[in-house]
Amino acid sequence: MTINLNNKKIDALAEAFLELRNKGEAKKFLRDLLTAPEIEEFGNRWQTARMLSAKVPYSTIRGFTGLSPRTIARISKWLNKGKGGYKLVINRLSTHHHSSLPVGKGLR
């Protein structure tokens, strides 16, 4: 399924994200916008993108996130051949924050 990102609803949503000033505000907005399972799913997808970027094996990612191999493969495809959104944020976070992957399940 392809989505047209050039419409007023998506523009308004993107603008709403840009108004958030800190992690606390972002968490509040996400909780009001999404259901708890959706937040968990998006968190797992973001974690998967970060782990794939760090060359963590699929089996380790699956054990840590619980995502299916198909979902992990789709995230890998978007990470490597998508619009560049994952890489943009991963690079910015690594430059500004020294963000690390969680320790556990063989990760360091």
Side-chain angles (χ1 to χ4, degrees):
M1 175 181 163
T2 59
I3 183 170
N4 176 11
L5 295 175
N6 297 314
N7 68 57
K8 290 182 181 183
K9 289 186 283 187
I10 301 300
D11 286 347
L13 180 60
E15 287 176 19
F17 278 112
L18 292 173
E19 290 299 317
L20 300 170
R21 294 191 173 108
N22 57 51
K23 191 185 315 185
E25 289 183 2
K27 287 179 178 182
K28 288 177 185 178
F29 184 65
L30 288 172
R31 185 57 193 101
D32 287 349
L33 181 67
L34 304 168
T35 65
E38 288 169 334
I39 294 169
E40 185 70 25
E41 177 69 14
F42 291 157
N44 282 331
R45 288 179 183 206
W46 174 236
Q47 187 64 51
T48 296
R50 292 174 56 220
M51 293 170 87
L52 287 167
S53 181
K55 309 294 185 213
V56 175
Y58 275 39
S59 59
T60 303
I61 295 169
R62 184 170 189 207
F64 189 80
T65 65
L67 293 178
S68 72
R70 183 176 178 172
T71 299
I72 296 168
R74 187 172 51 239
I75 294 166
S76 179
K77 178 181 173 184
W78 292 334
L79 175 67
N80 295 302
K81 297 179 182 175
K83 300 288 185 184
Y86 278 138
K87 286 184 179 181
L88 175 74
V89 177
I90 288 168
N91 289 336
R92 284 190 183 163
L93 286 173
S94 67
T95 300
H96 295 106
H97 301 292
H98 303 297
S99 170
S100 63
L101 294 173
V103 176
K105 305 268 185 184
L107 300 176
R108 301 218 183 267

